[in-house]
Amino acid sequence: MVTEKEIEQQKRAKLKSEKPEVFEKVIKIEERFKQGIPTPIIDIAYSYACNLKCQHCTASRFKKDSRKLTPKDLLHISNQAHELGLCQFCLSGGEPLIFKDLDEVIAALQPDKFHLTMSTNGHFMTSEKARHLKKLGLDKVKISLDDFDENIHDTNRNDRGAYRKAINAMMKAREAGLSVVIQTVVTHQNCQTDRLFQMAEFARENGFTIDVLIARCTGKWEGKHEVLINEDDAEFLRKAHDKYPVLHRDTFPSYGMDKGCGAVNACLHITQYGDVLPCVYIHIGIGNIFEESLRAIMDRGMSIKHFRNHNPKCLSGEDRNFIENYMTKFYGKKLPVPYMEVFSKEDFCN
């Protein structure tokens, strides 16, 4: 069986060969982490346009009549990110494969300077499209698979055939030389099931990895805290990872570092309207990229003790104190909620 260390070595060897400038930034992440310097992966919801109407989607609550991101804005963001030593972007939405200016968007993110990932439902991934994306400089695709049960996935996506399209997209992306990650959501109700192991076997056999996204009380689950995993579920996932190194989640150690919850420190999310969130699931705005520099927004985020201090649990999906005292403050509201309405003076570091 391939070990986690071997998987990581393979990834780095590929990156060094294909994008040496990015590789030089990636190998500095561990030292930056030791020095307390944040190096977040920036997830960008460039557009909320999508071909599906998934049950869990919250995009409609972010929509507003205001300035939207353009390729020019993305170039400005990527220039700032490069100056800060950041090295990874993830393009999301909506559904990126239907963006009419997708080629311009990828070019603006400067593929020679950044490792680029795309989150997609896979519906429009053809062999030709996959090869084209690889040629443009895309490195990885994250393809959603809500469950290894075809009916459950299709029902959640409100589209019969969505499961098969996602599986086919994985194969086409792999053939084009793109790294493939399966994104799957785990709740308390479906965590400790054989289907997760079946998915892990499938991933291992095909050279894929799995990002386990634990359930958060957002979208259709807002206020439904019963879907959150408990400590037994978290331990189950740790043991599953030991058995299947291809199975990973955000709070597991990576690059030899135990970052715990990565909000701000290891991840940021930018909406179509320039609002910056600590992560895609914490719907609290800590600034707007049209109004402030990326550095200023990151500094503000790191001044909030919940994001600055190490937490072994995911703030948005496991830390019941954070969930009950802060996440609940954006329930039922237009998103994102400004940080001033959520955090008090006591929430900031001295």
Side-chain angles (χ1 to χ4, degrees), residues 75-145:
L75 180 59
H76 184 52
I77 292 169
S78 64
N79 281 333
Q80 292 182 73
H82 183 60
E83 290 178 4
L84 291 170
L86 308 189
C87 49
Q88 299 179 78
F89 284 118
C90 180
L91 180 63
S92 63
E95 171 49 50
L97 290 179
I98 68 172
F99 297 167
K100 294 181 179 179
D101 54 354
L102 180 58
D103 286 18
E104 293 177 72
V105 166
I106 292 176
L109 293 176
Q110 304 186 81
D112 58 322
K113 297 178 180 177
F114 294 91
H115 182 276
L116 300 184
T117 300
M118 175 189 293
S119 289
T120 173
N121 58 41
H123 268 51
F124 302 105
M125 183 67 79
T126 63
S127 296
E128 294 75 20
K129 174 66 73 173
R131 289 194 294 269
H132 179 65
L133 291 171
K134 179 66 177 177
K135 186 176 181 180
L136 290 177
L138 192 72
D139 299 284
K140 179 193 295 182
V141 289
K142 292 184 176 183
I143 299 175
S144 302
L145 202 63

Side-chain angles (χ1 to χ4, degrees), residues 264-323:
V264 181
N265 185 40
C267 64
L268 282 176
H269 178 73
I270 302 178
T271 74
Q272 182 179 1
Y273 307 98
D275 294 308
V276 182
L277 317 183
C279 89
V280 68
Y281 301 104
I282 300 178
H283 300 159
I284 301 169
I286 57 173
N288 188 290
I289 203 68
F290 297 145
E291 301 168 0
E292 299 178 279
S293 69
L294 182 59
R295 179 186 292 276
I297 296 171
M298 286 173 56
D299 286 346
R300 176 180 298 118
M302 290 299 287
S303 74
I304 299 170
K305 66 182 181 181
H306 307 287
F307 308 136
R308 186 178 187 87
N309 298 337
H310 179 273
N311 189 331
K313 294 183 177 181
C314 169
L315 282 167
S316 59
E318 285 181 282
D319 188 321
R320 295 300 178 114
N321 177 67
F322 188 83
I323 293 166

Side-chain angles (χ1 to χ4, degrees), residues 18-47:
E18 296 180 354
K19 296 186 176 182
E21 185 175 357
V22 182
F23 175 78
E24 290 302 319
K25 289 197 285 185
V26 168
I27 60 176
K28 295 176 182 177
I29 292 178
E30 184 174 358
E31 185 57 35
R32 288 168 62 94
F33 173 64
K34 291 177 181 177
Q35 295 175 16
I37 304 172
T39 313
I41 299 171
I42 302 181
D43 181 88
I44 303 176
Y46 178 70
S47 169

Side-chain angles (χ1 to χ4, degrees), residues 21-264:
E21 185 175 357
V22 182
F23 175 78
E24 290 302 319
K25 289 197 285 185
V26 168
I27 60 176
K28 295 176 182 177
I29 292 178
E30 184 174 358
E31 185 57 35
R32 288 168 62 94
F33 173 64
K34 291 177 181 177
Q35 295 175 16
I37 304 172
T39 313
I41 299 171
I42 302 181
D43 181 88
I44 303 176
Y46 178 70
S47 169
Y48 292 125
C50 189
N51 60 299
L52 295 180
K53 295 183 188 247
C54 302
Q55 294 182 17
H56 59 268
C57 185
T58 59
S60 62
R61 288 175 57 190
F62 283 94
K63 290 182 179 179
K64 54 186 177 181
D65 295 325
S66 63
R67 179 179 171 184
K68 299 176 183 178
L69 291 171
T70 66
K72 185 177 180 180
D73 294 320
L74 296 187
L75 180 59
H76 184 52
I77 292 169
S78 64
N79 281 333
Q80 292 182 73
H82 183 60
E83 290 178 4
L84 291 170
L86 308 189
C87 49
Q88 299 179 78
F89 284 118
C90 180
L91 180 63
S92 63
E95 171 49 50
L97 290 179
I98 68 172
F99 297 167
K100 294 181 179 179
D101 54 354
L102 180 58
D103 286 18
E104 293 177 72
V105 166
I106 292 176
L109 293 176
Q110 304 186 81
D112 58 322
K113 297 178 180 177
F114 294 91
H115 182 276
L116 300 184
T117 300
M118 175 189 293
S119 289
T120 173
N121 58 41
H123 268 51
F124 302 105
M125 183 67 79
T126 63
S127 296
E128 294 75 20
K129 174 66 73 173
R131 289 194 294 269
H132 179 65
L133 291 171
K134 179 66 177 177
K135 186 176 181 180
L136 290 177
L138 192 72
D139 299 284
K140 179 193 295 182
V141 289
K142 292 184 176 183
I143 299 175
S144 302
L145 202 63
D146 299 330
D147 197 285
F148 209 56
D149 182 305
E150 184 171 352
N151 289 327
I152 293 176
H153 178 84
D154 286 357
T155 299
N156 187 52
R157 299 277 158 172
N158 288 311
D159 185 271
R160 187 57 56 191
Y163 180 93
R164 283 289 114 202
K165 290 175 183 176
I167 296 294
N168 290 336
M170 295 174 196
M171 303 307 174
K172 290 178 172 63
R174 182 187 63 182
E175 291 167 4
L178 293 165
S179 298
V180 176
V181 177
I182 300 172
Q183 287 191 312
T184 193
V185 177
V186 167
T187 67
H188 171 62
Q189 288 72 28
N190 74 4
C191 180
Q192 300 188 44
T193 66
D194 289 339
R195 294 197 304 278
L196 187 62
F197 292 128
Q198 292 167 5
M199 188 183 293
E201 287 281 3
F202 170 76
R204 184 171 66 180
E205 290 170 359
N206 287 282
F208 306 152
T209 55
I210 300 174
D211 273 357
V212 171
L213 307 177
I214 62 170
R216 276 81 165 187
C217 295
T218 59
K220 68 173 181 177
W221 289 329
E222 189 168 276
K224 298 181 179 180
H225 294 188
E226 63 271 18
V227 303
L228 301 173
I229 68 168
N230 58 28
E231 291 186 3
D232 287 341
D233 297 328
E235 180 61 24
F236 175 85
L237 291 174
R238 281 190 287 269
K239 290 180 178 178
H241 170 67
D242 291 340
K243 184 175 181 180
Y244 295 100
V246 296
L247 190 155
H248 209 270
R249 59 162 299 201
D250 50 2
T251 57
F252 287 172
S254 60
Y255 299 111
M257 298 167 283
D258 181 8
K259 292 184 177 181
C261 181
V264 181

